[in-house]
Amino acid sequence: MNPRIISLVFAPFAFGTSAFVFIGLIDPMAEGLGVGVPLIGQLQMVFAIACGFGGPFLARLLSGVDRKRLLVVVLASMVAMNFASALAPDFTTLAGLRFMGGFFAALTIPLATTIGVNMVPEARRADAIAAVMAGYTLAFLLGMPLGTILGDAFGWRAAFWFAGGVAIVAALLIALVAPGNVKAPQLAGANFKTALSGENPKLMALTMLGFVATFVTVGYIGPVITQSTGLTGAAIGGVQIATGIGSLIGVPVGALFARLAVRKALFILFMLAGLTQVAFALGMHFDFGGLAVPFLIVTMALGSAALFATTTVVQARLAATSGAAVTIAFALNSSMVYFGQGMGATLGGGVIAAIGLSSTGVAGAVVAVVALVFIFALPRR
C-alpha cells in the first residue's frame, strides 16, 4: 500500500483513541471524580456535541487552507486536549477540556479522508476511504483496550496520557510523509447547499441513527462487559479487542457493499446492528455461564462490523454525490457520527437512570428499527 495513505491511517487512529480511550474506565473515573456513572458517560456527549458543531463550521471557514498543514495543527490540538485532561482536577474541568478539544478534533477524519480520495482515481475512492478509515478501527482494536489496561494499572489518567502520545506520533508521521498542497477541489462550489443537496441529508441522518443505536450500549461498554460477564479491570480491555476486530472486518465489507444498491446495503447492515443490540440485552438479562464471554465477544464484533461497514457505504456515496463540497459533506457526515455518539450516550444514561443498564440494548434495537423504516426514504438505485 502507498506509504502516504498509510500515514493518513494514524489520524483517525489518534482521533478514535482520544474520543473513546476512557469508556472502559467509567467506573474508576466515577469513583475518582466523585460523580455517578451516567455522568461520566456524558463526557462522550460533550466531546461529540463539540465535534458536531465544530466540524462543519471549521471545514467551511478553512476550506482554502492546505489539508495536510491543517491536519497537523488539528492533531497538535488533540495532544493538548489529552494532556490537559490527564491533569484535570474535577469533572467540570474535564468536561470543558473535552468540549474545547472536540471542537477542533472534529476536522480529523474529514481532512484525512479528503487527502486520501485526492490521491487515487475516482474508481478507487471507496478503497481509499476504507484504507483511511482503517485507522478508526485501530482505535477500537488497540487504542481503547490499551487505554483501559493502562488506566487499570496506573490510574484512569494514564489513559489520557496514552491518547496524547498517540496523537503526537500521528502528527509527526503525517507531517513527514503525507502529501502536501491538497485543497478542497473547486472551492467556488464548496458550500453547505451543495453538500446538503439530493439524497445527502438522508444518508447523513442514517449515519446518526447508526451511531445512536450503537452507543446506547457502547458508550457504557465497561459496565456492560462487567454485568454480562463479571469481568473487571484489565480484563475489560481484553474483551474490548472484539470491537476492534469487528471494525477491521466492517471497513472492507463496507467497501464491497458500497458497490451494491445503497438501500439494499444499508438495510442489511442496520438489520445486523439491531440484532446485535438485542443480543446485548439478552447477555445482560440472562446468565449464560461459561458462554457469556464468547457470546459477548461475538456480539461486540458483529455490532462493530455493521457500524463501520455502514459508515464506509455512506462515505463512498457522499464522495460520489458531493462534488466540490466533498470536505464539507464529509464534515457534516462526521457531525452526524458525533451527534449520534452523544445522543446514544445520553439515551443510554437516561435508560440506566430510569430502568437499568440491562435495558440499554433494547433501546438500541428500537433506534435500529427506526433506521430501517427511514432507509425506504432513499431513492432506488
Side-chain angles (χ1 to χ4, degrees):
M1 184 182 292
N2 189 326
R4 297 186 299 171
I5 289 184
I6 292 176
S7 71
L8 295 174
V9 169
F10 284 84
F13 176 41
F15 174 82
T17 300
S18 297
F20 308 122
V21 72
F22 69 91
I23 64 175
L25 301 165
I26 287 180
D27 286 327
M29 285 182 68
E31 182 179 352
L33 293 171
V35 298
V37 165
L39 190 59
I40 293 295
Q42 300 314 302
L43 286 173
Q44 181 60 44
M45 183 273 291
V46 169
F47 185 83
I49 294 299
C51 287
F53 285 111
F57 172 75
L58 293 175
R60 182 68 184 96
L61 180 66
L62 303 172
S63 61
V65 179
D66 177 78
R67 306 288 88 181
K68 172 182 173 177
R69 187 175 304 167
L70 184 56
L71 180 55
V72 171
V73 171
V74 167
L75 288 167
S77 73
M78 204 180 300
V79 174
M81 174 194 70
N82 283 300
F83 286 174
S85 296
L87 299 171
D90 52 48
F91 175 83
T92 302
T93 303
L94 181 57
L97 289 167
R98 298 287 292 175
F99 183 87
M100 289 186 293
F103 193 83
F104 295 97
L107 283 176
T108 307
I109 294 178
L111 288 172
T113 307
T114 298
I115 296 172
V117 298
N118 274 273
M119 291 169 57
V120 298
E122 184 174 353
R124 294 184 55 199
R125 280 182 171 180
D127 295 328
I129 292 169
V132 173
M133 289 301 294
Y136 205 43
T137 73
L138 288 176
F140 287 81
L141 181 65
L142 299 175
M144 286 195 305
L146 286 175
T148 300
I149 292 169
L150 290 171
D152 179 63
F154 303 106
W156 61 265
R157 296 178 188 275
F160 290 107
W161 288 114
F162 166 68
V166 171
I168 289 176
V169 172
L172 290 174
L173 281 174
I174 289 170
L176 293 172
V177 181
N181 299 317
V182 176
K183 296 183 179 180
Q186 303 173 28
L187 292 177
N191 52 59
F192 286 101
K193 182 178 180 180
T194 304
L196 291 171
S197 62
E199 67 196 73
N200 287 6
K202 297 172 184 177
L203 291 168
M204 295 173 189
L206 284 168
T207 294
M208 183 187 71
L209 289 172
F211 277 84
V212 172
T214 302
F215 272 77
V216 172
T217 50
V218 170
Y220 300 87
I221 198 63
V224 167
I225 291 173
T226 299
Q227 180 158 325
S228 299
T229 65
L231 298 175
T232 59
I236 292 175
V239 177
Q240 280 181 311
I241 293 174
T243 301
I245 293 172
S247 64
L248 285 175
I249 296 170
V251 170
V253 168
L256 291 175
F257 271 51
R259 294 169 171 82
L260 300 177
V262 174
R263 292 208 320 180
K264 179 178 180 180
L266 292 177
F267 188 86
I268 294 171
L269 294 172
F270 271 98
M271 279 287 293
L272 179 58
L275 290 173
T276 59
Q277 290 300 309
V278 172
F280 272 123
L282 292 174
M284 288 184 283
H285 271 103
F286 300 103
D287 182 6
F288 289 153
L291 296 176
V293 172
F295 180 82
L296 182 62
I297 287 174
V298 171
T299 298
M300 292 172 65
L302 288 176
S304 179
L307 183 63
F308 278 85
T310 299
T311 303
T312 304
V313 169
V314 172
Q315 290 278 78
R317 185 62 192 156
L318 290 174
T321 60
S322 302
V326 63
T327 300
I328 297 175
F330 285 164
L332 288 168
N333 194 56
S334 293
S335 291
M336 296 303 102
V337 171
Y338 310 140
F339 285 138
Q341 292 167 0
M343 292 169 65
T346 300
L347 177 59
V351 170
I352 292 170
I355 306 174
L357 182 68
S358 59
S359 296
T360 53
V362 176
V366 170
V367 176
V369 171
V370 172
L372 287 173
V373 175
F374 192 78
I375 285 170
F376 287 100
L378 292 174
R380 293 181 179 274
R381 293 188 184 279

